[in-house]
Amino acid sequence: MFRSVTVSQSPSIEPTIVPRDEHVISRSHISERALTVLYRLKNAGYGAYLVGGGVRDLSLGREPKDFDVATDATPDEVKALFRNCRLIGRRFRLAHVHWGPEIIEVATFRALHPPEAEDDGDRVLEDGMILRDNVYGTIEEDALRRDFTINALYYDIATFSVVDYAGGMADLKAGRLRLIGDPEVRYREDPVRMLRAVRFAAKLGFVIDEATAQPIPRMADSLDDIPPARLFDEVLKLLMAGQGVETFESLRQHGLFRYLFPATDTALDDDEHGQFITFLARALESTDQRVNADRPVTPAFLFAALLWPAILAQLPRGKMVSGIDRELFEQSITEALERQLRQVAIPKRFGLPMREIWAMQPRFDTRSEKKATRLFSHPRFRAAYDFLLLRAEAGLADRDLAEWWRAFTTESADAPPPTPARRRRRGGRRRGGGSPAPERAGSD
C-alpha cells in the first residue's frame, strides 16, 4: 500500500483563487466523462480538480487533447468508486478510468520532498533523477512539484474557481513558460523537462523564461541517461504535433537535437550548402501541414527523413549518385541506424517501413515505364515516391527525374492513390495511444 505523507518542511503558500466570473473555463467545454469523474469524487467527500494541460488549454481558448484529474483520494480509493478503473504505473501510480476508447487519468496529490531526503521505497532517486515517486501529500505540494507554472492550475469542481499556487495565470497572460523551483534541480530530477520546455513553447507560441532556458545547453547531455524508448515517445510529441519546424529550430538552438539525433546533427554542422537543413525543413513543413489538416502521418516517414542526412554523410561526397553500389548504400544505412538506436529507440513497426523507403530510392533511378509500373505494386511506393520528391525539392535528387516520376504517376491509371484524410478523435486519452500524424507521409 502506498501511504499519504505531508512534508512539514514545505512552506505554506497562499494560492490565488480566480473565481468563476474572472476566468473563461466552462463545464460545457469539459469532457462529459471527466465531469462524471470529478462529480463522483466530490460527492464521495474527496477534493476533485481538473488539472494540467486541460486547464491551461481551456484558459487559452484551445481544445484540450485530454482531461486529467487530481484528487486527495488514493488510487485504491479511486478504484473503489469506479468499476471501470485500472491502476497503472510503477514510477507514478495512477488510476485510469475507462469509458470505451476514452480514458480519464486520475492522480493523487503528491508530496514535496527536500533534495536531501532519503529513498524510502515509495520515492526513489538516482543522482538527483526521480525514478519512482508515490508519496502522497496536499494540493499545495502537488502544485509546487509540477514542472511549469502554466501546468500547475487547478479547476475546482466544487466552486468552479481556478486555484493557482505558482503564478501560472500571470504567465499564461504574459505568454511565458517558466519552471517551478530551481531549474537545474528540476532538470536533474527529470532531464526530459528540457524537451518539454521546447515543446510547450513551440506549441503555445510562448517565450521560455530566461532562468528556465539558461541551464539547458550545459545540461543537455543528461538526456543520455534517459531510456531510448522514452526518448522515442518524446520525439513523436516534439515533431509530430503540428509545430515541427519551430520545435526543430529550438532543439538546435538549445543544444538538444544532438542528443536525440547525434549523427544527423553532425551532418548538419558539416553541410556547407545547407541542403540537409533545407531537406529537413521541407519534411517538417509537410508534416506540420498534414497534422494541422487532420491527415494521416506515420513516424516511419519522418524518421526516414531525420536520419537521411546521417546516411548520406557516410557516402562518397556526401550524396547518393546514380548507379550507387547497393552494398555500400546498405552499409551506410546499417551504420547510421546502429548509432541512432543507442540514443532513440525506433520500434520495428516503424523501423522496417523506414528501411523500405530508403531501399526504394535507388530504384527510382529509371525512366522506364515498364519498371516504373512494377514499382507501383510495392506497398511502400507512395511513401518512397513522396520521399523522392522531397529530396528533389532540397537539391538532394535530380529534379528532372523527380518531375518525370511526378508526371508518370499522375497520368498512370495503375498508380496507387494518395492516402485519404482521416479525422482525428479528440476529448480524452485513447486506449493504445496512437501518434498524431506528415504531407509526404505515405501509408503504413
Side-chain angles (χ1 to χ4, degrees), residues 180-233:
I180 299 172
D182 183 330
E184 290 197 24
V185 172
R186 303 312 305 276
Y187 291 144
R188 200 174 301 120
E189 288 175 347
D190 186 359
V192 166
R193 285 181 177 138
M194 293 182 285
L195 301 179
R196 285 168 60 83
V198 167
R199 174 160 64 91
F200 284 131
K203 173 183 177 179
L204 302 173
F206 279 21
V207 174
I208 302 177
D209 179 71
E210 183 178 353
T212 297
Q214 192 268 337
I216 293 178
R218 71 171 183 272
M219 297 187 70
D221 62 351
S222 60
L223 289 174
D224 286 339
D225 298 325
I226 302 300
R230 187 179 177 201
L231 287 182
F232 172 79
D233 291 336

Side-chain angles (χ1 to χ4, degrees), residues 16 57 122-123 175 187 232 270 273-274 276 348 370 389 401:
T16 298
D57 290 347
D122 284 339
R123 190 175 196 267
Y187 291 144
F232 172 79
D270 296 340
H273 304 292
F276 292 162
K348 284 186 178 180
K370 186 175 181 180
L389 299 185
L401 177 65

Side-chain angles (χ1 to χ4, degrees), residues 286-327:
S286 68
T287 298
D288 291 343
Q289 291 168 7
R290 204 167 176 95
V291 169
N292 293 322
D294 281 350
R295 293 179 64 85
V297 300
T298 169
F301 186 91
L302 183 58
F303 271 80
L306 288 165
L307 295 179
W308 189 245
I311 294 170
L312 294 187
Q314 298 183 73
L315 297 174
R317 292 178 293 177
K319 59 183 180 180
M320 191 174 76
V321 297
S322 177
I324 187 171
D325 182 276
R326 296 294 179 90
E327 186 175 337

Side-chain angles (χ1 to χ4, degrees), residues 225-240:
D225 298 325
I226 302 300
R230 187 179 177 201
L231 287 182
F232 172 79
D233 291 336
E234 293 301 323
V235 169
L236 296 191
K237 295 175 186 176
L238 285 161
L239 300 179
M240 298 185 70

